Each structure stands twice: as C-alpha cells, then as structure tokens.
Amino acid sequence: MRKGNTSRLRNSSTGDRAFDTINMIFMLCLMIVTIYPFVNMIAVSFNNANDAIRGGIYLWPRVWTLDNYKYIFGESDIYHATLISALRTVIGTVVSVFCTAMLAYTVSRQEFVLRKFVTMFFVFTMYFSGGLIPGYLLIRDLGLIGSFWVYIIPGVIGVFNMIVIRSFIEGLPEGILESARIDGAGEFTTFIRVVLPLTIPAMATVSLFVAVGQWNSWFDVFLYNSSNKELSTLQYELMKILQTSTTSATSSASDAYQSAESNATAVTPTSIRATMTIIASVPILMVYPFLQKYFVQGMTIGGVKG
C-alpha cells in the first residue's frame, strides 16, 4: 500500500509539474502575441518615416527620430482637442456610470413590478436600432448638434453595463439593504450610501469600458460637430491628420510627402498611424493599473447571474 501511494503521489507530482510547465509556456506565448504588436508600433513610431517604408522593423527602431511626434504635436488644434477628449471622457464616464447604476439598482429590486418589462425593453435596444439617419434626426430634433452634450446624453445608459451592475447588486446580502430601510433610509439614500460603496468593483469595471469608448470615439464628432473646431476631439484630429497624410501619399510617387517647409522631414501614413496609436493609447494605459485590482473581481461577480 505504501509503495502504491508513493507511486501515485510521484505520478501526480510529475503530472502537476508537466501541467504547470505547459501552462507557463502557453501563457508566455500568449503574452508575446499580445504585447508584440504594441511594441512594434512603438518602434515604428520612433523610426524615420522613409526608412520605415523598407519594412523589417520589429522590436527596435532602425533609425531613431522624434519627427513623427513633432509632426503630430505641431498641429495647432491638437492640444484643445485633447482637452475636449479628456472632458468628455471624465464627464461622460461619471454621468453614464451613475445613471446606469441607478437603473441597475431599480431593476434589481424584486418589489419593482415592472422590472422584467423594463429589462427586456432595454435589452431589445442592444439588438435593434433605428439606424444612422433616424438617429441623426433624433439628435437634431433634440437640439444637440453643435453642442458638447451630444457626446454625453446619447450614451447615458449602457445596457450591457447595466446588466453587469445589476447582477453584482443582486449578489449583495439582502440583509444590508433591509437594515438601511429599517434605519429610515429611502431608496435613493440606500443607493447612495449602501449600494454604491459595495459595488465599487463593478463600477470600476464599467467605468473602464465607458472611458475607453469615450476616449476612442470620433465618429460622433464627424456626424454632429465636424464644423465646430471648438468641440473637436483628439481622435477626430488624429483621424484628419491620417487622412491628410494618406491623401498626400497617394498623390506622391514615393508614397511620402514633404510638408510646406523645405527642410521638413517626410512622414508616411504608416509612421503617422503608429504614432497615433501610441498617443491615443498612453492615457488609457496610465489609468488601467489603478482599476486593475477591481477589474477581474467586477467581471467575475457581475457575470455570475444573467
């Protein structure tokens, strides 16, 4: 018996080590596949544009230069557009997450008789919409065209985010909410003082989703505020720079062009695209570490119930 047990333990230990080794190799390969495109973008963004046309740039720039970044940051509208992007990201995230959480709390209450109807009504909008033209007409009739609030109001409620927060709230101990009501707290007070502090993991997860969407959005600027430079965003300005460089490259036999100054350094769509990717990604990468500890917990708990 002792020899049998020892043999099984030895086989189990060998199997565990083999599994750990394979798992580590797999995760390492996955990490390389995930990180490599971003590192390659960094290398291309810091490489000379004309040299980058030759290809063969992988992890390290072949000809170092800052001209790609100087070209983009040399645009006069880029700084004000960055401010608008930051404002819409902060305000849009706060407003959307707060309103979505209030809706999630409402439909999570068993005593709310219309909870199923309201939930299905919002879920319906995830799969069906009026389309681009009816949406534009609605925004026009609401008087939002040419205003900053066109970035905020249409995205106040995120249905998927509502489902995540609702599932998280339904997992909270009912006794905590009952205790608040016994102490005389109303629904809004219970929501603000009890539910919100307990749903920080789900709120942080949803906040990251909304913030990334707000920061990366440019199509709504194109539709509603393309003629208003004061409300242009960073992503829209970067898109215009890329479009300009692509158009210029198409009309040039060398797939590159010189700016108005005779001593300017050439840029190409490839170098501009890589530089834009880095510029647009850095703010989100700076925020993510502060939300990472809540992200996994929020997605795990929030995804338990449907």
Side-chain angles (χ1 to χ4, degrees):
M1 292 295 293
R2 290 181 179 178
K3 291 183 178 180
N5 292 335
T6 302
S7 177
R8 282 195 297 270
L9 289 174
R10 186 181 298 110
N11 292 335
S12 177
S13 178
T14 303
D16 291 340
R17 286 197 297 269
F19 174 79
D20 292 341
T21 302
I22 295 174
N23 191 38
M24 289 179 62
I25 294 174
F26 173 77
M27 295 303 296
L28 181 62
C29 294
L30 182 63
M31 182 181 68
I32 293 174
V33 171
T34 304
I35 295 178
Y36 171 75
F38 188 74
V39 175
N40 179 254
M41 283 290 180
I42 295 176
V44 174
S45 70
F46 283 104
N47 196 84
N48 178 271
N50 288 331
D51 180 76
I53 298 176
R54 297 163 48 199
I57 300 174
Y58 302 107
L59 301 176
W60 199 257
R62 188 164 48 225
V63 181
W64 278 88
T65 183
L66 294 176
D67 291 329
N68 298 321
Y69 290 91
K70 290 179 181 179
Y71 177 81
I72 290 182
F73 288 114
E75 297 291 326
S76 58
D77 296 330
I78 205 75
Y79 300 100
H80 183 74
T82 302
L83 176 61
I84 297 298
S85 287
L87 287 175
R88 74 169 290 181
T89 300
V90 173
I91 297 175
T93 300
V94 171
V95 172
S96 177
V97 172
F98 183 77
C99 293
T100 302
M102 283 199 297
L103 174 64
Y105 174 70
T106 301
V107 298
S108 68
R109 298 298 85 210
Q110 296 291 338
E111 58 270 21
F112 179 46
V113 294
L114 297 178
R115 60 191 298 267
K116 291 185 177 180
F117 171 78
V118 172
T119 301
M120 292 302 300
F121 178 82
F122 278 96
V123 169
F124 181 84
T125 64
M126 293 179 64
Y127 302 99
F128 303 96
S129 66
L132 182 61
I133 295 178
Y136 180 86
L137 296 177
L138 175 62
I139 296 298
R140 184 198 63 183
D141 293 340
L142 291 175
L144 295 177
I145 293 180
S147 71
F148 175 79
W149 296 104
V150 75
Y151 303 145
I152 310 299
I153 295 178
V156 163
I157 299 297
V159 180
F160 174 78
N161 298 334
M162 182 269 290
I163 294 174
V164 171
I165 298 177
R166 185 203 66 180
S167 300
F168 195 99
I169 294 175
E170 289 177 346
L172 297 177
E174 188 65 27
I176 297 178
L177 304 182
E178 292 296 334
S179 298
R181 296 190 183 98
I182 292 174
D183 291 337
E187 292 295 341
F188 188 74
T189 302
T190 302
F191 170 72
I192 294 295
R193 297 189 176 183
V194 178
V195 175
L196 282 185
L198 293 176
T199 56
I200 288 179
M203 300 279 281
T205 302
V206 169
S207 296
L208 184 61
F209 291 158
V210 177
V212 171
Q214 286 283 6
W215 179 259
N216 289 332
S217 181
W218 66 269
F219 192 62
D220 51 358
V221 187
F222 173 74
L223 287 178
Y224 310 123
N225 287 327
S226 58
S227 60
N228 190 346
K229 289 186 177 181
E230 294 298 318
L231 294 176
S232 183
T233 62
L234 174 63
Q235 301 294 342
Y236 184 63
E237 291 300 321
L238 293 177
M239 185 276 297
K240 290 197 299 184
I241 294 173
L242 177 61
Q243 189 177 46
T244 301
S245 66
T246 303
T247 303
S248 300
T250 302
S251 62
S252 174
S254 62
D255 196 38
Y257 73 100
Q258 297 288 337
S259 58
E261 296 80 10
S262 59
N263 59 347
T265 302
V267 294
T268 64
T270 300
S271 62
I272 292 297
R273 189 181 300 112
T275 308
M276 286 170 46
T277 301
I278 302 305
I279 293 175
S281 302
V282 166
I284 296 299
L285 292 177
M286 294 175 63
V287 172
Y288 180 76
F290 297 99
L291 301 177
Q292 184 180 12
K293 62 180 180 180
Y294 301 111
F295 189 81
V296 176
Q297 182 181 359
M299 285 302 295
T300 302
I301 300 179
V304 172
K305 298 182 180 180

